[in-house]
Amino acid sequence: MKIILSILISIIIISSPLISNKCFSKNKNAIPLDKISKIIYRYYDSSVPPEYHRSYTFIIDKNKINLTVDCYGDILNEKEIIIDTNQFELIKNSLVKNKIRLGIKIESKDCTGGTSEKIEYYSNDKCLFSASVYHCGNKDYGDLRGEINNLAEEIKGLIPNFNELLKRDN
């Protein structure tokens, strides 16, 4: 009886991040690159005064990157950057190279003031993957794993004058 109970508890613990996630692949670490038609990366800045707060979203498909920069929901800049299929493939391959994957969800321990990132990817309108991480107090919470910063930097590298777009007066 104890063995069966232990097995059931293990199954529940292992599967809970998959059950709670709104979309996932059957193998939580498999990235079906050939099926990905859209990637969304979101960066949520920490709670700082508006003149310093910058959150942004990249919506990427095989033809373009749509960038939206906001300050507490007030859109500061929007830009569409045309990319080619090879650049889109590089970004998709970056998901693998940077080991972007779903992990067991770690709950925040009353930490406030951090930044968050979220990555989603889709096959047409079907969500294949969605995970997020909250960076706070030199710890990471949430269910997103991998070298997220490296992926973000590769995407930013395709945006001419990215840092200029973070400024309010563009």
Side-chain angles (χ1 to χ4, degrees), residues 118-134:
K118 183 174 186 175
I119 296 174
E120 298 174 310
Y121 47 87
Y122 295 80
S123 176
N124 299 316
D125 290 332
K126 181 181 176 190
C127 186
L128 301 173
F129 177 89
S130 179
S132 61
V133 63
Y134 176 53

Side-chain angles (χ1 to χ4, degrees), residues 47-126:
S47 296
V48 293
E51 60 266 23
Y52 305 109
H53 181 91
R54 296 296 181 270
S55 295
Y56 48 88
T57 302
F58 299 113
I59 301 175
I60 309 157
D61 66 29
K62 67 180 180 177
N63 301 312
K64 64 189 175 303
I65 300 173
N66 286 316
L67 167 64
T68 303
V69 178
D70 75 272
C71 174
Y72 294 112
D74 179 24
I75 294 177
L76 304 179
N77 283 304
E78 291 182 297
K79 181 143 181 113
E80 180 176 281
I81 294 87
I82 302 302
I83 61 172
D84 60 36
T85 306
N86 290 332
Q87 291 169 310
F88 185 57
E89 291 301 317
L90 286 172
I91 295 170
K92 290 191 319 185
N93 287 319
S94 185
L95 295 168
V96 174
K97 179 176 74 175
N98 291 301
K99 300 178 178 124
I100 303 302
R101 65 195 183 282
L102 185 65
I104 294 173
K105 189 169 187 170
I106 300 170
E107 297 295 330
S108 171
K109 304 290 184 201
D110 297 324
C111 192
T112 59
T115 61
S116 298
E117 294 171 283
K118 183 174 186 175
I119 296 174
E120 298 174 310
Y121 47 87
Y122 295 80
S123 176
N124 299 316
D125 290 332
K126 181 181 176 190

